[in-house]
Amino acid sequence: MSFNLNKNEEPAKSGTESKFDLSKNNSWQEEPKKKSPSLILVILLLLLIGSAGYYFLSSKEDTDSMLKIAPEKGTEVVGKSAIPADTLNEKTSVENISEVENTVKPSELENKIPASFEKGSSEIVVVDEVVIKQISDYLEANPTSSITLNGYASSEGELSVNNKISQDRANTLKKHLVEKGIDANKINAIGRGIENPIATNDTEEGRKKNRRVEINL
């Protein structure tokens, strides 16, 4: 009894070999993560809070710079100037504070020449209305003060005539000031003749300058 141990191997059929596709399926790939909109909102909120804080601090600094403490007792700060408290009365308001600050100082009026005159006459040729206004403001701000009008003449002519003309010139300017509303009792008018010339009497131009009235406080 015999056995056939030979296996009948059939040739492998072509095209039947199993193949494995190891390539990744595109559908398996993860989609890129999208930025969360909540993060953007948080950033915007922080920027908004920072801007509001900066605005608040800037406004507070501006307010503090405007509120200044008076430099000493008995004074009040108005703008950048310290004004004595007794200067500010019930009539003082925002509108006239500038007038208090700009009160005319005596040095601004001393020896000012508000008027010049015709030759040999007490008739006013030129009057400086700015100086007249300063005189009025000064006397109004200083009720107990007074001014002196010194009248002068050039040296030509007789001395007695020049003395009279100088007095008449002082009186003429006093009358002009009274017409402007200034109290006559606060004005002294004195004729000084040919004293204290401010220019030479050798020329007409110089003599013209000497025909004048000066202010003294």
Side-chain angles (χ1 to χ4, degrees):
M1 185 173 181
S2 61
F3 297 91
N4 186 5
L5 299 177
N6 292 328
K7 295 182 179 179
N8 292 326
E9 296 180 358
E10 296 180 358
K13 296 180 179 179
S14 60
T16 61
E17 295 174 353
S18 62
K19 296 180 180 180
F20 298 94
D21 186 2
L22 299 179
S23 63
K24 294 182 180 180
N25 192 330
N26 291 337
S27 63
W28 296 354
Q29 295 180 359
E30 295 182 358
E31 296 183 359
K33 293 182 179 180
K34 296 181 179 180
K35 292 183 179 180
S36 173
S38 61
L39 178 60
I40 298 176
L41 291 177
V42 170
I43 293 174
L44 291 176
L45 182 60
L46 290 175
L47 290 174
L48 181 61
I49 293 174
S51 299
Y54 177 78
Y55 176 79
F56 174 77
L57 292 176
S58 299
S59 299
K60 185 175 184 301
E61 290 177 358
D62 293 340
T63 302
D64 291 342
S65 65
M66 294 175 65
L67 300 175
K68 298 182 181 297
I69 301 174
E72 58 180 335
K73 185 176 180 180
T75 63
E76 295 185 20
V77 173
V78 179
K80 295 182 180 179
S81 304
I83 300 176
D86 57 354
T87 303
L88 300 177
N89 52 37
E90 65 277 2
K91 294 182 180 180
T92 303
S93 62
V94 175
E95 291 77 14
N96 60 25
I97 281 176
S98 59
E99 295 179 4
V100 175
E101 290 181 321
N102 296 325
T103 300
V104 178
K105 299 177 180 61
S107 59
E108 297 176 354
L109 283 176
E110 190 70 22
N111 297 325
K112 279 287 186 71
I113 302 175
S116 57
F117 298 83
E118 285 281 4
K119 177 180 178 180
S121 170
S122 60
E123 182 180 351
I124 296 176
V125 175
V126 178
V127 61
D128 191 335
E129 293 297 343
V130 173
V131 177
I132 300 301
K133 180 65 166 57
Q134 288 178 328
I135 294 172
S136 177
D137 291 344
Y138 172 76
L139 293 176
E140 184 176 354
N142 300 275
T144 60
S145 298
S146 63
I147 64 170
T148 297
L149 304 179
N150 291 319
Y152 293 98
S154 61
S155 62
E156 60 184 335
E158 295 182 7
L159 181 60
S160 59
V161 173
N162 288 331
N163 288 337
K164 181 179 185 307
I165 290 176
S166 66
Q167 182 64 56
D168 291 342
R169 287 171 177 168
N171 292 338
T172 299
L173 184 58
K174 177 177 179 178
K175 180 181 179 182
H176 182 78
L177 294 177
V178 172
E179 290 174 351
K180 293 291 183 178
I182 299 176
D183 187 354
N185 294 323
K186 295 183 178 182
I187 305 171
N188 300 313
I190 300 175
R192 300 291 186 181
I194 62 175
E195 297 177 10
N196 304 322
I198 60 174
T200 179
N201 280 303
D202 295 335
T203 65
E204 178 56 29
E205 186 64 26
R207 291 190 290 269
K208 182 178 179 181
K209 292 180 180 179
N210 291 330
R211 303 177 192 123
R212 71 197 190 280
V213 172
E214 286 185 1
I215 300 170
N216 283 123
L217 304 179

